[in-house]
Each structure stands twice: as structure tokens, then as C-alpha cells.
Amino acid sequence: QVVMDEQQAPQNPLAYVIMFAFYFVNYFVIIFFNSALVACAVLRFQGQNPTLSDGLGAASRRLPQILGWALVAASVGMILKVIESKSERVGQIVTGLIGMAWSITTFFVVPVLVVEKADPMTAFKRSASIIRKTWGEALSANFGIGIITFLCCLPCFAVIALGAYLISSAGAVVGGVVIGVGVLSLLLVSLISTTLDTIVLAALYLYAADGTVPQYFDASMLSGSFARK
């Protein structure tokens, strides 16, 4: 997914270099560990019992391709930021539309990189091809997870609000502890949500790519997530 700051892009060329480096590192870390998780999910779907080292090993073997895709993703992020900075209102609309199209088109890039061992450009084309074939589709499953995640976050926000109230009524220490519990709960929910998203992505990829129904998934559920042409 394309990540952009809310502030205007800087005018100093060095600042652009620093921003690009930040984008690149950010994307690399995300793609690397998502690749590791996808590898573990696929092995599990095949009836194996993958370990953390199996996932990290699979991602490490695809390191050049992951670096290449991180470079592509960072470049796209920078281009969108430059477009947005030229005209705040129009730029936000344009980058929003382009960013959405980019996120949809590249939805299956990571599984393709890992499973099909493709290079970044081939993975991009393959992802776009799968999306065109199964439009409507993978996004519905992630939408469902997003709703569940939102509902799980509500109690966490309530705990944080309670902590803020307790700061004035019961003291900073008590309130701070409660706020800390709420923040940690939010981080845990976010981690679980991201993990589930990636596992579902791997399952949807296998089903969309060759019709394979992964272990632990129901064929009717997967077919309901896709609208094949």
C-alpha cells in the first residue's frame, strides 16, 4: 500500500533523498516480513508445520526481488507525494485515485514473489492479471476483517479515554497505566489484524491463481469472495 505523509513534500533535494530512503526502508521491512508470513501460510495450507525460520528463510531467498519491489513501491510513493505537493486539493484527489488503483493492481504481488518466484515486474503483471480475472473479489475478504478490527479497537479506545479521565481524578500514575494498557491493546489488535490479512491474502492468491482451496478454508467461502469473468 502507498504511504504518504499528510504534510507537503519538502523543497530541499536532500529532504527528498531522506524521504525516499525512509519510504524504501519502510516498504522493505513490510514486504520482507509479509513475504515470510505468506511463505509460512502456504506451507501450512499444504499440510506442513512451518517454523519462523522457514518463513524468514523463504523471504531471505527472495531478497533481491523483495529489494527490487521495495524500490518500485518507494518510487511510486515519492512520485505521488510530488504530485500531491504541486496542488494540495487537486493533488490529493489525483494521488488518492492513483494510489487506490495501485493498491488494487499490486494486491497479489507479494504472494507471486514468494510462490511463483517471479521478478518484481513479472509479479506486478501477474498480480494485475489475477485481479482482472477475479475482479471484486479479494478485497471483500479484507473489508470483512477491517470491520472486525474496527469493532475490536473500540474497547481499546474506551480504555484510553478512561485513562485520560483517571489522570485528573485518580492521578497521573493510575491514568498513565490505564492509557498504556489501552495503547498496547491497540497494537496487539493491529498486529493480529495484519497477520490475518496476510494469511487470507495467501489463501485468496492460491484460489485465484489456480483454483486451489487451501487447507482450513471452505470452497464456497472463497468462491463467494470472487466474481470471475
Side-chain angles (χ1 to χ4, degrees):
Q1 294 181 352
V2 178
V3 179
M4 293 180 291
D5 298 328
E6 295 180 356
Q7 298 178 349
Q8 290 287 329
Q11 300 302 316
N12 189 330
L14 179 60
Y16 277 106
V17 173
I18 295 174
M19 181 181 293
F20 178 81
F22 171 79
Y23 275 41
F24 176 75
V25 172
N26 182 52
Y27 279 114
F28 171 75
V29 171
I30 292 173
I31 295 168
F32 181 86
F33 286 103
N34 279 353
S35 297
L37 182 54
V38 165
C40 287
V42 171
L43 289 174
R44 186 59 181 169
F45 293 153
Q46 294 172 347
Q48 303 182 46
N49 295 308
T51 63
L52 177 61
S53 61
D54 291 328
L56 295 178
S60 297
R61 288 190 292 272
R62 306 301 296 154
L63 191 59
Q65 291 74 22
I66 291 173
L67 285 169
W69 184 245
L71 182 63
V72 171
S75 300
V76 172
M78 280 296 301
I79 291 172
L80 293 182
K81 170 50 65 178
V82 171
I83 293 174
E84 182 181 3
S85 68
K86 297 302 180 181
S87 176
E88 183 175 354
R89 178 165 298 183
V90 176
Q92 287 180 350
I93 296 175
V94 173
T95 55
L97 293 175
I98 297 176
M100 181 182 299
W102 173 258
S103 297
I104 293 173
T105 305
T106 60
F107 190 79
F108 289 118
V109 163
V110 171
V112 173
L113 284 174
V114 175
V115 178
E116 301 184 19
K117 298 179 171 57
D119 61 83
M121 289 300 99
T122 301
F124 172 78
K125 295 176 182 177
R126 175 67 170 147
S127 175
S129 174
I130 295 174
I131 287 294
R132 283 195 300 269
K133 183 177 67 174
T134 57
W135 182 255
E137 20 203 340
L139 303 181
S140 64
N142 280 42
F143 181 72
I145 293 177
I147 294 176
I148 296 174
T149 300
F150 172 75
L151 294 176
C152 291
C153 285
L154 293 180
C156 301
F157 287 122
V159 171
I160 293 174
L162 175 62
Y165 171 77
L166 290 175
I167 288 178
S168 59
S169 61
V173 175
V174 175
V177 170
V178 174
I179 291 177
V181 171
V183 172
L184 289 176
S185 299
L186 276 176
L187 293 175
L188 180 61
V189 170
S190 176
L191 178 61
I192 294 174
S193 172
T194 301
T195 302
L196 290 176
D197 275 339
T198 306
I199 293 173
V200 170
L201 171 64
L204 289 171
Y205 160 74
L206 292 176
Y207 184 78
D210 55 20
T212 300
V213 179
Q215 190 177 13
Y216 309 114
F217 281 82
D218 182 77
S220 60
M221 178 187 71
L222 290 175
S223 63
S225 297
F226 291 83
R228 294 182 180 275
K229 291 183 178 180

